[in-house]
Amino acid sequence: MNTFGKIFTLTTFGESHGPAIGGVIDGFPAGIDIDIDFIQQELNRRRPGQSRITTDRHEADKVELLSGVFEGKSTGCPIGFVVYNENQHSQDYENMRCLFRPSHADYTYYNKYGIRDHRGGGRSSARITISRCVAGALAKLALKQIGVSIQAYTSQVGNIALDKDYRKYDLSLTESNIVRCPDQEKAHKMEALIADVKAEGDTIGGTITCVIKGCPAGLGDPEFGKLHMQLGAAMLSINAAKGFEYGEGFDCVLSRGSEQNDVFVPGEPISTATNHSGGIQGGISNGQDIYFRVAFKPVATLLKEQQTVDLDGNSTTLKARGRHDPCVLPRAVPIVESMAAMVILDSFLVQKTVKM
């Protein structure tokens, strides 16, 4: 499955140490203003080498749109794009050619295909998310036309966590620090923790919170196409993602129904007094803010010695070389936003066909 979506679709290609990463987007609405600077800015938020707490790999990640855009507007035809890899150090991975990295995709890919690209993880590398950020940026431009905005931020690194209520923070401050956390004090502590972990050759995980505002009521399908199901599947398709919860999530088990129910209040449009449901009821958006959290594990590739086995199952040790993130959270923020934008745009386009 290298293709996302029903009407708005993205098919991706490329490997971490191949010539390029790219994709083809189909079903994108015609007549949307295409801001190439905005698309590049979104890629810059994801690119490696942007701070002292990210991988040292330096890539410009400059996107080239190959089709589907004419005189600054989308034509409705497929949008092809490519981002060339320019700073591969494939030799850094030579000692991994015949070894399996613990908790990485090496072993599973080898068993599925009988072959694997050991250079940076090949297709399983987080570098593949470049394509998602390009498609997500385009989806954001389309969603802007209907008043939908999407903002994600780092809400936890290790044991340093923000309050779960996103309304307590000025989310416009998210990009003011390298951790992408709207709480400046907590951001400094997170940054220090990531730097310490990196110095030890280790990695650490955390959570990202995402808020979708302006989403119209009625998006999502009953039964097997519920909107929260689509969001969950999209988020769990991101490298290193291990958990997803929306609205009150697991905390809802602490409340009674009389405390958890979102009571309707009169008005135009109809709204609710609370939003414990996270903007989705019965699998369909209700017009309130959609909010959710994604948990990311510590990066599997460590710069310290680990026990492992070789292709023949013999015990050995591995000390990885190369350039790796000590924590994926800062660079995963735009990826979470991109996947959310793609889900909402696809669901919006599906709903338009339902009502035609």
Side-chain angles (χ1 to χ4, degrees):
M1 289 295 294
N2 296 295
T3 300
F4 163 91
K6 297 178 181 177
I7 294 181
F8 172 84
T9 66
L10 166 69
T11 301
T12 71
F13 66 84
E15 294 88 28
S16 176
H17 287 237
I21 307 293
V24 176
I25 297 166
D26 206 355
F28 191 79
I32 303 296
D33 290 328
I34 303 301
D35 185 345
I36 189 65
D37 291 334
F38 173 74
I39 298 171
Q40 187 60 55
Q41 176 186 322
E42 291 294 277
L43 276 179
N44 292 345
R45 295 172 67 209
R46 194 226 69 95
R47 70 177 177 82
Q50 60 184 272
S51 76
R52 72 187 186 98
I53 58 171
T54 63
T55 172
D56 296 328
R57 180 171 178 170
H58 291 281
E59 295 275 7
D61 284 354
K62 186 172 177 58
V63 63
E64 294 182 27
L65 300 184
L66 305 176
S67 61
V69 178
F70 179 67
E71 295 184 342
K73 291 184 180 293
S74 59
T75 64
C77 298
I79 299 175
F81 64 88
V82 66
V83 174
Y84 290 101
N85 294 326
E86 299 175 339
N87 190 230
Q88 308 101 313
H89 288 179
S90 300
Q91 67 277 7
D92 289 342
Y93 297 88
E94 193 56 34
N95 67 323
M96 302 179 192
R97 178 183 288 273
C98 297
L99 304 180
F100 296 123
R101 286 173 291 179
S103 288
H104 210 287
D106 297 346
Y107 178 74
T108 51
Y109 266 56
Y110 184 75
N111 275 270
K112 182 174 181 63
Y113 299 108
I115 187 173
R116 69 180 176 93
D117 185 347
H118 66 283
R119 305 166 303 166
R123 185 68 175 161
S124 68
S125 169
R127 185 153 180 77
I128 306 307
T129 58
I130 284 174
S131 299
R132 301 170 184 233
C133 284
V134 174
L138 286 162
K140 283 184 179 182
L141 290 173
L143 291 173
K144 185 179 179 180
Q145 306 292 308
I146 60 171
V148 176
S149 64
I150 300 172
Q151 175 70 68
Y153 61 92
T154 299
S155 50
Q156 182 170 352
V157 174
N159 62 352
I160 303 170
L162 273 61
D163 189 283
K164 288 188 176 181
D165 189 346
Y166 66 91
R167 295 169 298 179
K168 293 183 179 180
Y169 302 98
D170 180 356
L171 301 189
S172 68
L173 299 176
T174 299
E175 295 294 320
S176 64
N177 56 76
I178 60 177
V179 184
R180 295 198 165 92
C181 171
D183 183 313
Q184 299 300 313
E185 182 179 349
K186 290 286 181 69
H188 291 314
K189 293 180 179 179
M190 291 174 179
E191 180 182 341
L193 175 58
I194 296 171
D196 288 345
V197 167
K198 181 179 181 180
E200 295 171 2
D202 215 331
T203 62
I204 196 164
T207 65
I208 288 174
T209 297
C210 186
V211 183
I212 305 171
K213 292 181 174 289
C215 183
L219 303 191
D221 299 310
E223 197 61 11
F224 300 115
K226 291 179 170 65
L227 187 59
H228 59 266
M229 183 213 75
Q230 295 180 50
L231 286 168
M235 297 307 144
L236 292 173
S237 74
I238 300 172
N239 307 60
K242 298 295 284 186
F244 171 85
E245 63 174 357
Y246 74 102
E248 294 289 310
F250 286 99
D251 288 344
C252 75
V253 303
L254 303 175
S255 304
R256 298 189 179 190
S258 56
E259 300 169 308
Q260 190 69 203
N261 283 352
D262 295 318
V263 177
F264 290 106
V265 294
E268 181 56 44
I270 294 172
S271 62
T272 56
T274 55
N275 189 20
H276 302 298
S277 301
I280 302 172
Q281 292 170 329
I284 298 172
S285 61
N286 66 3
Q288 305 303 304
D289 290 352
I290 296 172
Y291 63 95
F292 58 85
R293 290 165 296 280
V294 187
F296 288 87
K297 70 173 184 176
V299 176
T301 304
L302 312 182
L303 297 181
K304 55 169 46 179
E305 192 170 276
Q306 297 182 88
Q307 289 294 314
T308 188
V309 297
D310 61 20
L311 297 180
D312 297 318
N314 299 310
S315 179
T316 185
T317 58
L318 167 68
K319 184 170 184 180
R321 300 192 293 267
R323 301 158 296 176
H324 308 279
D325 283 295
C327 177
V328 300
L329 277 298
R331 295 177 60 210
V333 166
I335 303 169
V336 167
E337 291 179 2
S338 292
M339 295 308 300
M342 291 164 62
V343 168
I344 298 301
L345 178 58
D346 191 39
S347 295
F348 177 78
L349 295 173
V350 168
Q351 180 64 9
K352 282 183 65 176
T353 64
V354 168
K355 283 196 169 184
M356 287 177 64

